[in-house]
Amino acid sequence: MKTTLNLNDTLLTEAKALAVQQRTSLTRLIEEGLQLRLRSRPPQKKSVRLPIYRGKGGLAAGLDGLSNKAMLDAADSDA
C-alpha cells in the first residue's frame, strides 16, 4: 500500500542515513519502527466508536477527494 507521510526533514535525513548504514530500505526501516511501537503498546481495554457522517451532499463542489494536495489546501482555506 502506498501512503504519504509528512516527516520532519532532520528525522528523514537521519532515517535515510540509518537505512543506508543497515543496508535496508527506508520503507523497511519505517515498517520495523511501527512494528516495535505497536508491539510495545498496552492492550486496549475498550473499543472506540467512531462517528459516522450520514449527511448529504458529499465533498464541496470542485474538490478532488483523491488528491492529498487538494484536500490539504481545502482544509487550510478560510472558505
Side-chain angles (χ1 to χ4, degrees):
M1 180 175 134
K2 284 188 172 188
T3 191
T4 301
L5 300 172
N6 294 318
L7 300 174
N8 174 287
D9 290 338
T10 304
L11 177 63
L12 181 58
T13 301
E14 289 179 28
K16 285 180 178 181
L18 181 60
V20 169
Q21 179 185 356
Q22 293 184 353
R23 296 182 181 197
T24 190
S25 68
L26 181 60
T27 299
R28 185 66 193 136
L29 189 68
I30 291 171
E31 286 174 347
E32 289 173 358
L34 284 172
Q35 288 170 355
L36 286 171
R37 185 65 186 250
L38 291 171
R39 274 191 230 123
S40 69
R41 70 181 176 178
Q44 290 192 343
K45 299 179 189 220
K46 199 164 126 176
S47 64
V48 176
R49 283 191 79 128
L50 297 176
I52 299 172
Y53 176 71
R54 299 190 191 279
K56 296 180 182 175
L59 295 175
L63 183 59
D64 179 6
L66 298 177
S67 166
N68 287 343
K69 182 177 181 343
M71 297 295 281
L72 289 170
D73 289 346
D76 287 339
S77 72
D78 292 332

